Amino acid sequence: MRFPATIMVLAGCLATAEPAPNPSDAAATPSSDTLALTRFLPAENKGGKLDVVVDARDPESGWLTITERITDFHLEPPLYFKPLGRSPEHEYEDFRAVGPKGNPIKVERDRGKWVLPNFKGTSVEVTYRAKPGGIGRHGHQGLIQPDWASFDGRVYLMPKGAMGMSEITLSVQVPDGWDVHTPFRELEDGRYSLDTVPDRVMFESLQTSCIALGAFDRDDRTYGDTDFRVAVYSGFPEEHKKLVFDKTHRMAEWFADKTGFDPGHPFMFAFLPMPFKDRVFGGAWANGACYEQPTDRLRNWELLGHRFAHPINKYHPSGMTLRDPQDHWFMEGWASYIELISTAETGIGHPDQRAWNKMWSWFVRERALHPQYDRALAKEAGAGKDAGEILHYAKGPLVVKLLDEEMRARTGKNMEQFFKYLNEKYGGHKAPIPLRDELHAFTGVSFEHFWARHVDNAGAIVPVWSASERMRPAAEAMAQEPPMAMVGGRRIHPTFLHYLTYSAKFERFAEIEDWLEEAVARRAELDRRGIRPWPAWMYEVEYGLHPTVQLQIMEAELAWPLHLEPSLSATSPARGGCGGGATTTEDSAGPEPRFTLIDGHPSSVIWKNLLQREQAYLGQLVHTGLEAIQAHRYFNQGDPPVGRPLGFGPKQSFIGMSVWLTPPDRIDFEIEVDGSVSMEKRSVLAEPGWHRTWLTMEDKHRPDGEKVVVLKVYADGELAGERAFWQRTLPEDP
């Protein structure tokens, strides 16, 4: 039996577990002698030694002087060095090379590389200057200041084939009074060895590990087999340093207990000042991170949770690999999910889960403004930068949260337990994870319905977590207002109907009526099948719910995968009430719902007016050479228009657009309010080849309140067409 509900409505109504997959079908625990690491990691190192010397004794200049001594390195010529960083985040200058006896070696620049065209030996020494600190993702990419510095291996220029080095050491020269803080092993001679990770990822450790230089306080502890180091800038106030140490170790203890965090190699977090308006990112990898923490800012602690997450679920050598491309979304989704869970459960974040409401509001807003950003998580690859941000840091973690809610309701198990199970079985990249099979094996039930609703298809997200009930008082207040329409017994609030016109999901007002009828019919079908997937309080105050929540619910129900539901029978119980309730049959469906306005409601009068004007507008098209009149919304001056709404707020400007089959010479736009008052008139001269013309229609020219706003378009002085739009105050974000 499958239970599609995101959460069951009544406590204690857990679904009967399905049989777990046959052990021969489920993913077997990988054995240590059959690890397929070569599938995920670079090949074993081939030889060669690299000794890197970083001279940071001139911090006032902002530059480092770096010397690399390479010995016993066999490589086919020509030898070249290329930057691990990129411009303008990192700058490089004054590159020189000498042979084993100090003899100068010719150097040429070739498309961003430093080439040694005549070099044929096995040992070489190069020296150059590097400057981190350019602005990139997360702010300054490293930074050098008069009393401290932090950067990662992107400051280095590395030779072709450097990943094959068998031995890498690092030494750092600093001003008097400065200390060196690294996640590496310190040798007796003061150098640092990178052998704390396997050879095959030693070069990756050099490239991505961060270090901090200067005066820092330390509080190092041990968790399992991990030497956990915390460095905090000494210039911070004593109370702040104490707080940072306390919260960091609280997080470390939580991750060790709840997820099995124990990478087994030295791990360091270094917390830096923020001397400028932009943040500071010194680097992050499997052995820690360096970033700014000048104040007790919640977002920075959430980011710390993210920095704990990726060494567990992603980075080499301690992370994991997901087997199937359709499940790759889970990597970033879980990391962004666990940052909110960890901070809440350690008392650092909001214990009532209100952060989920904030993330959900961000997601639904971006989804409304940019519908193309929402795509199936199973197909997130190739989503592009902007869409990827929403999928990785909003939709992905929200879906993991929904999965956790459903796991708890159906099986009593939770996401942290599942991930600890995965870490114990697959941590250290033991083998690729068949995520869906493992979830089935761990819980004993199938989540096929969940994958269909939330991962394999794009679509809405309904906020079913406990903090969503903070929206209830506002919903109860709005539910006291009279409806403007009924659809099959369901009341329609004027604020919700207007929001649908604003959503830009519909081309015509009449389409909204059809859509509402379809949505109400689908609800009736779900009710007949006993499917009640939302929290009980949402059904109780549904009429007054914020329009964004109502829209998400209707979209989710319309997309419900009924093909995965059991067929109805004469004795099918209603599943929203623990197997009780009335039985149902295929013949129990009521009459088709119809959209019916309530006479006397002011918004009903406006809706009738809009429908009548819409019919007249459609009859005007083509005959005058006009193909369409549209309104495009935008939010900031200079931003591209977003969507084509049928309604907007009184304080919103919009872009009026006319689309022509045969454009005239001069086009006039006029705004008319309430059928008689001309508020604004503007003109544009068409140029040869134009078939679309537009002008910004300012909100300052329209009166406040609920109005019918008509956009009239004239061709060479003659009325070519007019289209009506609904102006009404929009609700504040939930």
Side-chain angles (χ1 to χ4, degrees), residues 658-674:
S658 59
V659 183
W660 298 89
L661 294 171
T662 53
D665 293 330
R666 192 184 87 244
I667 301 166
D668 299 308
F669 291 86
E670 183 180 26
I671 289 290
E672 184 181 273
V673 178
D674 288 340

Side-chain angles (χ1 to χ4, degrees), residues 487 512-522 592-595:
V487 182
I512 298 176
E513 294 187 0
D514 296 340
W515 184 85
L516 284 169
E517 291 172 356
E518 184 181 356
V520 173
R522 173 54 63 93
E592 290 293 322
R594 290 289 179 263
F595 182 96

Side-chain angles (χ1 to χ4, degrees), residues 133-176:
I135 300 297
R137 184 171 174 81
H138 307 307
H140 292 280
Q141 302 300 290
L143 200 61
I144 300 175
Q145 291 294 287
D147 61 337
W148 64 272
S150 182
F151 48 87
D152 62 11
R154 289 174 295 166
V155 299
Y156 304 131
L157 299 171
M158 282 289 124
K160 178 177 71 172
M163 294 181 71
M165 295 289 181
S166 61
E167 181 179 310
I168 302 176
T169 54
L170 170 71
S171 56
V172 186
Q173 300 168 343
V174 294
D176 293 341

Side-chain angles (χ1 to χ4, degrees), residues 365-366 369-370 633-642 652-655 696:
R365 181 179 185 275
E366 290 299 315
L369 296 180
H370 309 284
R633 61 187 181 190
Y634 75 105
F635 291 87
N636 298 301
Q637 191 68 35
D639 284 355
V642 181
Q652 282 186 315
S653 299
F654 67 91
I655 295 174
T696 300

Side-chain angles (χ1 to χ4, degrees), residues 254 258 337-338 341 408 414-420:
W254 187 91
K258 297 296 185 180
Y337 158 86
I338 208 66
I341 296 296
R408 292 172 186 269
N414 62 51
M415 180 57 64
E416 287 67 71
Q417 294 168 344
F418 175 54
F419 200 86
K420 190 171 185 178

Side-chain angles (χ1 to χ4, degrees), residues 20-65:
N22 187 294
S24 63
D25 298 328
T29 302
S31 62
S32 59
D33 59 348
T34 59
L35 304 186
L37 281 169
T38 53
R39 293 184 58 188
F40 318 110
L41 303 177
E44 290 289 351
N45 298 334
K46 309 182 189 72
K49 298 178 181 179
L50 171 63
D51 182 41
V52 180
V53 180
V54 177
D55 186 346
R57 289 176 295 183
D58 184 18
E60 297 285 350
S61 71
W63 288 81
L64 305 168
T65 299

